[in-house]
Amino acid sequence: MAGEGWRLYDRCFRLADGASLHEYPLYEVGRDARMDRTVRMAVVCGSVSLGGVGAVAATCGLARPGAATMVLWAMVAVAVICAAVWAATTVLFARRSAATYAALADLSLAAALVCLNDASVMFVSCGLFIMLTVLTGLLLARAGLVLHVVFVSAYVIGAAVMVAHSTTRSNYLIGAATAMLLWIVIGLPIVVRRIWLGLSQAAELASFDPLTGVLNRAGLVRAYRQLAQYAESDGVAMVAVAVDLDNFKSVNDRFGHAVGDAVIIEAAQHLAHHFGRTAAVARCGGEEYTVIATGNRGHLDHLVHSLPTVTPGIHGPATTMSVGAVWCEDVRSDNSMLRAMTAADQAMYSAKNRGGNRLYAVLGDSP
């Protein structure tokens, strides 16, 4: 599947393994089409706003004449160009592009503010950094945000020093104003980011089965949408696999529920190891699992037919499985997942009716 889709799905697995959301940007393109539109609209409006502020400063005599005014007009041009790029493409959402854009935005705004002819106006205008802090917190991981915070803090403090040297205002008043400005442009966006991080991590982890660590049914629905999007965009196939442990009740009756849980965990690990992390493996019932995988048809066909239909038996008795597999068709339609899972379940029951411990695959020429 596409590298972007794999990265988004791998993010979920790493979170289940205990990774921190700090390692990731709060927003990654492709996770939600509505969120994509909202973020792009907000960033376009922010870029246009910065350009508008620069144009007002350049035309109203707030900038020093000559080169300083030209710098402001250059910032206006850059802001308009960036707004057009944001509106037309998602290229700036990529991590490296976003980091480059954030760094240039910081430097451009800092250069523009230096061009203002009044230190007090420059100091107050540092409030514009709040838009860049929000953008940085949204598109970059923690390391990028830390660099931004250090740069903006140093800049605001430097502007405060300039105000202190150019006016007769009380240093205590300037210090209080600096603290308030730092809270507005840095503290408030970071607090909001922390709240969003907590909510995001809870939402991410709610997609996983607590016993096995693989996806639950809700997580499978989310993963299916992502995998379907990238399967269609890359023109690759998509397969649904239904798995049910044979005679699992007898395992609980003979060995107890603790051993039964160990078998359930081992079966989930067995499927995850076989299909790899580019496949969505979910526990959809007591001893029932569903696997959704994308890729080259030949590779998927090999994966399905090479699946051992018995658990390794390391942490419990080796248990056989009934497996059904079908191609997912018309993957972007609203009911494609339901149709695929229903067909895979029917194939799995065909395998179970033949005695279990086998695969029943309906993988014809048309995926």
Side-chain angles (χ1 to χ4, degrees):
M1 60 181 291
E4 182 76 14
W6 151 239
R7 180 161 58 83
L8 292 175
Y9 191 64
D10 182 58
R11 161 191 171 120
C12 294
F13 270 108
R14 293 186 64 189
L15 288 171
D17 291 340
S20 171
L21 268 175
H22 287 296
E23 299 177 23
Y24 301 93
L26 283 182
Y27 169 75
E28 291 182 286
V29 65
R31 303 189 69 206
D32 187 304
R34 290 173 297 182
M35 187 66 174
D36 287 350
R37 289 192 295 270
T38 301
V39 170
R40 290 173 73 177
M41 183 180 300
V43 174
V44 168
C45 291
S47 296
V48 171
S49 298
L50 285 175
V53 170
V56 169
T59 56
C60 294
L62 295 178
R64 294 190 298 273
T69 301
M70 296 300 296
V71 170
L72 280 178
W73 282 118
M75 188 198 77
V76 172
V78 170
V80 171
I81 292 172
C82 287
V85 173
W86 282 109
T89 178
T90 60
V91 65
L92 293 180
F93 286 121
R95 287 197 190 183
R96 290 184 180 179
S97 299
T100 302
Y101 174 81
L104 290 176
D106 276 344
L107 294 174
S108 297
L109 181 56
L113 294 182
V114 168
C115 296
L116 298 178
N117 57 19
D118 188 309
S120 297
V121 174
M122 171 189 172
F123 177 72
V124 173
S125 298
C126 286
L128 293 171
F129 277 111
I130 188 172
M131 290 188 285
L132 300 185
T133 304
V134 171
L135 180 65
T136 303
L138 192 66
L139 297 180
L140 301 184
R142 179 167 52 187
L145 180 59
V146 168
L147 290 175
H148 168 80
V149 167
V150 170
F151 175 81
V152 173
S153 298
Y155 193 88
V156 171
I157 293 172
V161 171
M162 292 178 62
V163 172
H165 283 98
S166 62
T167 68
T168 58
R169 293 186 178 90
S170 167
N171 289 338
Y172 294 106
L173 178 62
I174 295 174
T178 302
M180 183 177 297
L181 187 58
L182 286 173
W183 165 251
I184 293 173
V185 301
I186 294 177
L188 189 58
I190 288 179
V191 169
V192 173
R193 186 179 192 271
R194 294 284 298 183
I195 294 172
W196 193 347
L197 275 172
L199 295 174
S200 297
Q201 190 150 28
E204 296 273 12
L205 295 180
S207 297
F208 290 86
D209 174 55
L211 177 63
T212 62
V214 298
L215 296 170
N216 55 25
R217 185 176 290 273
L220 181 64
V221 172
R222 180 181 175 185
Y224 185 93
R225 291 170 182 164
Q226 293 178 358
L227 295 173
Q229 177 181 349
Y230 290 103
E232 185 179 61
S233 64
D234 283 9
V236 295
M238 195 166 173
V239 69
V241 182
V243 179
D244 186 77
L245 300 181
D246 297 325
N247 304 311
F248 180 73
K249 184 177 182 300
S250 65
V251 175
N252 276 335
D253 292 342
R254 182 178 177 185
F255 298 98
H257 289 283
V259 174
D261 286 348
V263 171
I264 287 175
I265 295 171
E266 190 171 61
Q269 294 173 343
H270 173 63
L271 294 172
H273 177 75
H274 180 79
F275 285 97
R277 283 191 140 181
T278 56
V281 179
R283 181 187 177 205
C284 295
E287 65 273 12
E288 300 175 359
Y289 308 86
T290 299
V291 180
I292 304 294
T294 63
N296 178 274
R297 286 188 59 206
H299 175 66
L300 292 179
D301 190 272
H302 171 74
L303 273 180
V304 169
H305 284 91
S306 63
L307 173 66
T309 55
V310 61
T311 62
I314 299 174
H315 303 292
T319 306
T320 62
M321 301 182 294
S322 297
V323 182
V326 300
W327 294 118
C328 301
E329 301 180 353
D330 191 19
V331 295
R332 294 304 297 274
S333 63
D334 292 338
N335 62 347
S336 64
M337 179 177 172
L338 177 61
R339 287 188 285 103
M341 292 182 65
T342 300
D345 281 341
Q346 291 174 348
M348 180 269 291
Y349 284 118
S350 295
K352 190 171 288 290
N353 291 335
R354 286 167 169 76
N357 190 22
R358 69 187 65 219
L359 163 72
Y360 187 88
V362 185
L363 302 177
D365 293 333
S366 178

